[in-house]
Amino acid sequence: MQRLKGIGVSPGVVAGRAVVLIQRAQVLRYQIAPARVDVEIERLEESRARSRRQLLEIQEQLARRRPELSSLFDAQLLMLDDPMLLPRAAAMVRDQRVNAEWAVQQVFHEFGAVFDEVADPYLRERRGDVADLVGRVRMNLRKHDATPRDLLRELDEASILVADELTPSVAAQVDWTKVRGFATDAGSRTYHTAILARSLDVPAVVGLHNASEQVQAGQIVVVDGTASELIIGPAPEELARAAHHADDRRPAAIVDAERRRPASTSDGVPIRLDANIEFPDDLAAARYAGAEGIGLYRSEFLLADRIDDVRDEDRQYEIYRRMIEGMAPGGVTVRTFDLDEEQLASRLTHHPLGSGWAADEPRSARQGLRGLRLSLTRPDLFRVQLRALLRAGRHGRLRIMFPFVSSVEQLRDARQMVAQAAADLERRGEHPAPVPIGVMIEVPAAAYTADLLAREVDFFTIGTNDLIQYCLAVDRADERVSRLYEPLHPAILRMILMVRRAATRQRIPVSLCGEMASDPAIVTLLVGLGLTEFSMTPGAIPIAKQVLSELRSDELRALARRILKLSTVDDIERVLLAALGRLTPIKGVTS
Ligand code: PEP
Ligand code: MG
């Protein structure tokens, strides 16, 4: 048994199996069950094969255009077969029973250290090749933009997260119904970790220096937030103490009531917090988290889940209706299908899932004929969805939203389709109620013409996931450039402000539903930019609510004005975090 002393930021005692998250390297280390060893090794093998295909393809293209450069990738192809790299990672998976991502990262560290020691500058430069290759292997290991939340879905019920640090955006993605407590190396008294633990009502200890190195994934640990300790390999008495404490947690009814209270800043400016969901079953999580409504239902996931045929109007109607009724009195905003051609084709030909589209395919890679653009090329299918939606709209508060709009013409065409769908229903003797129509602002062209679009819609939703990648020309799914994906880039902040102003001038509601809304520090800045409606991953709602309730709106506006004058992301981040630390009174924690 080993006791590490830190700073308790949220009281209580819990025991569980450790999951280790090394956020700096963006890798989660967790222990895998013996039965999963083969699966992980197979993933490694698939990733190797895919990486080889990609490298050969790149080489082939180069050979055609720049033959003198095509040998550049020989070294990477050789390394792919080096026994020190992937076979060594596979051995690590087998011997230490860790996940493949972690093993690859460890091997990279070992491999990189060897390069650092060689004197030959040419050879030392090959370290860059290794890094590039490892980035590719890791990218290919990911079935999609796997977040810690996705990975944690496979874990035991009672886990304890031990991390080097826990940034708000990662914390917001963790499934806190499975993680009972957390311990971090860093975060002595950082504002967000303390607030996070209190708002989630989970015991937490921070400032443990190197706990994430000392704890083995899968080890049993106890987090004692009251005594400021993390106990590794606890004695039976410690486990009994944790079990005993489990009984005197705050009554569920009180915690529930707190979760459901509407959000506002400390000076009473109401803030609307809705949830983003992909599956109708996520509705329960949204309600549990205290969402006022559904701000983004990604309806294309219907096709990945329960509907085999996009032409099935009745089934779509039933699903929309149940969702609207399930969320009442809150509203539901349904985004019409955001598919691309290939995904649509796979549904039309009834291919089994995966042959054309898997729900977890990297979404950010899709562009071109997608979203509303694609819907407009298939009026037959689009009208089915619109009819289903208009029928469902009679059962509660529904809004229809179009994705990937890049011009006023597209919007007008889409509105005409809505009118035609309504006319179809009238002819059938059904009388649809009017439904508000909005657009996602997620293409720079839409942001720059927000004033024009605002005259012709009932609401805006800013989709920063796409907006950032198209504005900054960064493909998020490509690990090698993904670090350039910066929500706090001055260009993004200006665009958001421009869209917010256009909406205010036209007096239409505007919300923001990209992932950046799930980061409580960023959400405060967005409130400073004048936004008061957000839609986010359900787990982020309680945290955002807590953080905002401790801040004054006038202070946030002043902070945003200051930040808008800064030129770099680093400066913006520094000023934002420093200011929040000062503005936020951290109850029970002194700095
Ligand atoms: C967005 O682009 O910000 C968004 C919410 O849509 P998606 O992530 O589904 O593309
Ligand atoms: Mg989008």
Side-chain angles (χ1 to χ4, degrees):
M1 183 167 95
Q2 192 187 356
R3 288 174 190 276
L4 302 184
K5 202 78 185 156
I7 301 160
V9 289
S10 182
V13 190
V14 273
R17 224 170 256 291
V19 177
V20 183
L21 169 68
I22 305 298
Q23 188 165 313
R24 262 175 237 124
Q26 298 207 321
V27 193
L28 190 65
R29 165 166 41 125
Y30 55 96
Q31 189 157 49
I32 52 172
R36 210 185 140 92
V37 167
D38 288 344
V39 177
E40 290 295 289
I41 291 178
E42 207 171 296
R43 287 177 62 222
L44 268 177
E45 200 34 61
E46 274 168 16
S47 166
R48 186 214 315 241
R50 194 179 296 181
S51 302
R52 175 186 307 286
R53 279 200 302 277
Q54 291 167 347
L55 288 171
L56 288 172
E57 239 167 65
I58 297 172
Q59 232 178 6
E60 203 181 291
Q61 282 170 5
L62 275 176
R64 262 183 264 130
R65 279 184 262 136
R66 303 280 305 273
E68 71 283 7
L69 295 181
S70 78
S71 62
L72 275 181
F73 288 88
D74 286 345
Q76 292 200 24
L77 279 162
L78 278 175
M79 280 182 222
L80 208 49
D81 293 325
D82 193 307
M84 281 299 288
L85 208 62
L86 295 183
R88 167 122 183 80
M92 219 176 243
V93 168
R94 201 173 300 112
D95 302 340
Q96 299 176 20
R97 295 218 341 253
V98 288
N99 50 316
E101 288 83 357
W102 176 257
V104 167
Q105 190 60 26
Q106 280 308 97
V107 166
F108 170 55
H109 278 312
E110 291 173 10
F111 215 68
V114 175
F115 279 100
D116 287 344
E117 278 165 22
V118 277
D120 183 339
Y122 172 79
L123 272 182
R124 260 212 319 271
E125 272 180 23
R126 301 279 71 72
R127 195 184 198 287
D129 280 328
V130 189
D132 193 22
L133 181 67
V134 166
R136 181 178 299 284
V137 170
R138 274 180 46 187
M139 175 171 81
N140 286 329
L141 267 176
R142 293 195 308 193
K143 277 189 285 170
H144 53 122
D145 272 350
T147 62
R149 176 175 163 235
D150 300 318
L151 298 169
L152 288 165
R153 275 186 179 164
E154 296 179 7
L155 297 175
D156 288 347
E157 284 297 306
S159 296
I160 304 283
L161 190 59
V162 181
D164 53 350
E165 60 182 316
L166 196 54
T167 59
S169 56
V170 169
Q173 295 167 45
V174 170
D175 181 349
W176 291 102
T177 58
K178 290 193 176 166
V179 175
R180 295 266 179 90
F182 70 84
T184 61
D185 298 350
S188 53
R189 289 168 177 100
T190 52
Y191 91 96
H192 65 255
T193 337
I195 290 176
L196 169 70
R198 288 202 312 274
S199 66
L200 293 165
D201 206 33
V202 293
V205 180
V206 303
L208 286 158
H209 304 297
N210 63 351
S212 65
E213 282 167 29
Q214 300 214 30
V215 175
Q216 298 297 315
Q219 228 176 348
I220 301 283
V221 294
V222 167
V223 171
D224 186 339
T226 313
S228 301
E229 277 180 348
L230 174 71
I231 306 170
I232 307 174
E237 310 85 77
E238 297 293 349
L239 287 176
R241 199 162 63 86
H244 174 72
H245 271 267
D247 301 336
D248 46 62
R249 304 197 50 73
R250 287 195 301 154
I254 296 181
V255 178
D256 270 3
E258 275 175 24
R259 260 196 230 107
R260 275 202 291 269
R261 87 190 131 87
S264 70
T265 56
S266 67
D267 53 329
V269 174
I271 307 287
R272 185 183 171 89
L273 300 181
D274 286 339
N276 292 347
I277 64 167
E278 271 124 39
F279 298 101
D281 294 346
D282 293 341
L283 211 66
R287 293 193 71 111
Y288 175 82
E292 280 192 49
I294 301 301
L296 168 67
Y297 168 48
R298 293 179 162 108
S299 69
E300 64 276 11
F301 277 78
L302 272 180
L303 310 179
D305 186 25
R306 359 199 121 190
I307 289 198
D308 309 328
D309 190 344
V310 264
R311 290 162 288 215
D312 194 335
E313 180 185 317
D314 286 345
R315 288 197 64 194
Q316 282 192 52
Y317 157 71
E318 276 303 327
I319 289 166
Y320 301 141
R321 180 175 67 81
R322 254 182 278 132
M323 192 175 297
I324 292 164
E325 288 175 350
M327 207 58 210
V332 174
T333 302
V334 176
R335 174 176 79 183
T336 57
F337 299 144
D338 189 3
L339 294 167
D340 66 22
E341 288 167 286
E342 213 180 298
Q343 294 165 344
L344 180 64
S346 80
R347 305 315 304 167
L348 288 173
T349 49
H350 294 267
H351 280 178
L353 265 184
S355 59
W357 172 39
D360 52 10
E361 184 179 311
R363 305 167 57 69
S364 53
R366 297 186 281 118
Q367 42 183 308
L369 198 51
R370 154 189 167 185
L372 181 62
R373 297 171 182 177
L374 181 63
S375 291
L376 289 172
T377 67
R378 292 302 306 256
D380 50 334
L381 305 177
F382 194 27
R383 251 157 86 169
V384 169
Q385 183 173 33
L386 292 173
R387 282 198 299 265
L389 282 167
L390 291 174
R391 283 166 65 189
R394 284 191 313 224
H395 300 278
R397 290 176 53 205
L398 169 73
R399 304 194 305 176
I400 297 177
M401 175 161 80
F402 301 125
F404 222 64
V405 172
S406 55
S407 71
V408 170
E409 289 92 325
Q410 282 166 6
L411 168 65
R412 287 184 186 159
D413 289 349
R415 292 204 77 125
Q416 213 173 350
M417 294 288 298
V418 176
Q420 285 166 2
D424 291 345
L425 294 178
E426 292 287 352
R427 269 194 298 278
R428 284 195 214 154
E430 300 179 55
H431 305 292
V435 173
I437 302 288
V439 288
M440 288 199 67
I441 305 289
E442 55 183 342
V443 177
Y448 277 108
T449 50
D451 56 330
L452 307 176
L453 287 163
R455 295 183 202 146
E456 309 197 17
V457 286
D458 302 306
F459 66 95
F460 278 164
T461 298
I462 307 175
T464 46
N465 300 344
D466 279 311
L467 192 59
I468 296 169
Q469 74 170 348
Y470 292 115
C471 177
L472 302 183
V474 171
D475 180 353
R476 269 182 303 158
D478 185 338
E479 281 214 3
R480 293 154 308 158
V481 289
S482 58
R483 78 197 143 71
L484 299 176
Y485 182 90
E486 294 285 6
L488 292 177
H489 192 293
I492 303 301
L493 301 183
R494 287 171 189 209
M495 256 190 193
I496 292 171
L497 182 63
M498 188 166 71
V499 176
R500 200 278 294 155
R501 283 185 173 148
T504 308
R505 252 178 245 124
Q506 202 58 39
R507 295 203 173 83
I508 59 168
V510 53
S511 94
L512 187 146
C513 70
E515 278 307 310
M516 72 190 277
S518 297
D519 183 322
I522 297 184
V523 111
T524 57
L525 173 60
L526 295 171
V527 170
L529 291 175
L531 287 166
T532 53
E533 291 184 24
F534 302 93
S535 189
M536 56 186 75
T537 176
I541 291 174
I543 307 171
K545 209 176 264 186
Q546 180 70 30
V547 172
L548 290 169
S549 74
E550 298 189 8
L551 298 169
R552 290 182 56 86
S553 63
D554 53 350
E555 287 182 333
L556 294 179
R557 277 198 301 278
L559 173 64
R561 276 196 298 275
R562 209 176 135 209
I563 281 180
L564 282 169
K565 293 189 190 123
L566 301 174
S567 325
T568 67
V569 175
D570 278 354
D571 285 349
I572 291 173
E573 244 169 36
R574 195 172 36 75
V575 169
L576 177 61
L577 290 176
L580 289 176
R582 264 198 314 280
L583 299 179
T584 313
I586 302 177
K587 291 173 213 131
V589 181
T590 50
S591 43

